């Protein structure tokens, strides 16, 4: 269990979006894991480090970003907040569970070049 006061929490299993936009670095659709990306910037300097991290795709010292993965992830909030699915607001919740169900979806990945 990890506790954070965060500004952003993303859960997914795909690292890049169309247009070569990195959403969750190192996330892979075929590794059997759900990835969690949490940004907790509280000062202007933290926000700058998070921005540099997103642009360079490299962690910055003390950038207030954590990334973990696992087969099951549960997020609990102190109060209800909006959540999004694929970029669209889907509702409000105070807890959310994401987990991998092996074999539930066939994923095709291009062969390495």
């Amino acid at each position: 269990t990890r506790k954070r006061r965060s500004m952003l929490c993303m859960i997914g299993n795909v690292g890049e979006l169309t247009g070569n936009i990195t959403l969750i670095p190192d996330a892979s659709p075929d590794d059997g894991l759900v990835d969690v990306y949490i940004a907790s910037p509280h000062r202007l300097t933290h926000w700058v480090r998070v921005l540099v991290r997103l642009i360079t795709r490299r962690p910055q010292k003390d950038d207030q970003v954590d990334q973990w993965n696992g087969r099951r992830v549960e997020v609990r909030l102190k109060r209800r907040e909006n959540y999004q699915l694929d970029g669209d607001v889907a509702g409000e919740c105070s807890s959310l569970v994401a987990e991998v169900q092996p074999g539930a979806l066939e994923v095709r990945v291009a062969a390495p070049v």
Side-chain angles (χ1 to χ4, degrees):
T1 301
R2 294 176 176 103
K3 186 176 181 176
R4 296 286 185 280
R5 290 186 65 198
S6 69
M7 301 299 289
L8 171 72
C9 177
M10 290 188 291
I11 301 171
N13 65 346
V14 176
E16 289 188 4
L17 300 177
T18 304
N20 199 26
I21 298 170
T22 301
L23 180 64
I24 303 175
D26 302 323
S28 176
D30 61 349
D31 65 1
L33 300 173
V34 175
D35 292 82
V36 181
Y37 187 88
I38 298 176
S40 307
H42 299 292
R43 299 183 194 144
L44 179 59
T45 55
H46 295 157
W47 280 102
V48 170
R49 289 184 187 120
V50 169
L51 182 61
V52 170
R53 179 183 182 129
L54 290 172
I55 292 168
T56 65
R57 300 180 187 176
R58 291 187 197 143
Q60 302 296 306
K61 182 181 177 186
D62 193 32
D63 63 7
Q64 305 295 308
V65 174
D66 296 299
Q67 187 171 350
W68 303 291
N69 58 27
R71 291 190 176 272
R72 183 176 190 275
V73 173
E74 181 177 349
V75 176
R76 288 177 278 174
L77 308 172
K78 287 186 177 182
R79 62 180 184 274
R80 296 177 64 82
E81 295 282 348
N82 288 330
Y83 68 93
Q84 296 181 14
L85 293 174
D86 290 333
D88 296 320
V89 174
E92 286 187 347
C93 69
S94 58
S95 67
L96 180 114
V97 175
E99 64 184 313
V100 173
Q101 296 179 358
L105 178 66
E106 183 175 324
V107 176
R108 297 189 184 270
V109 179
V113 181

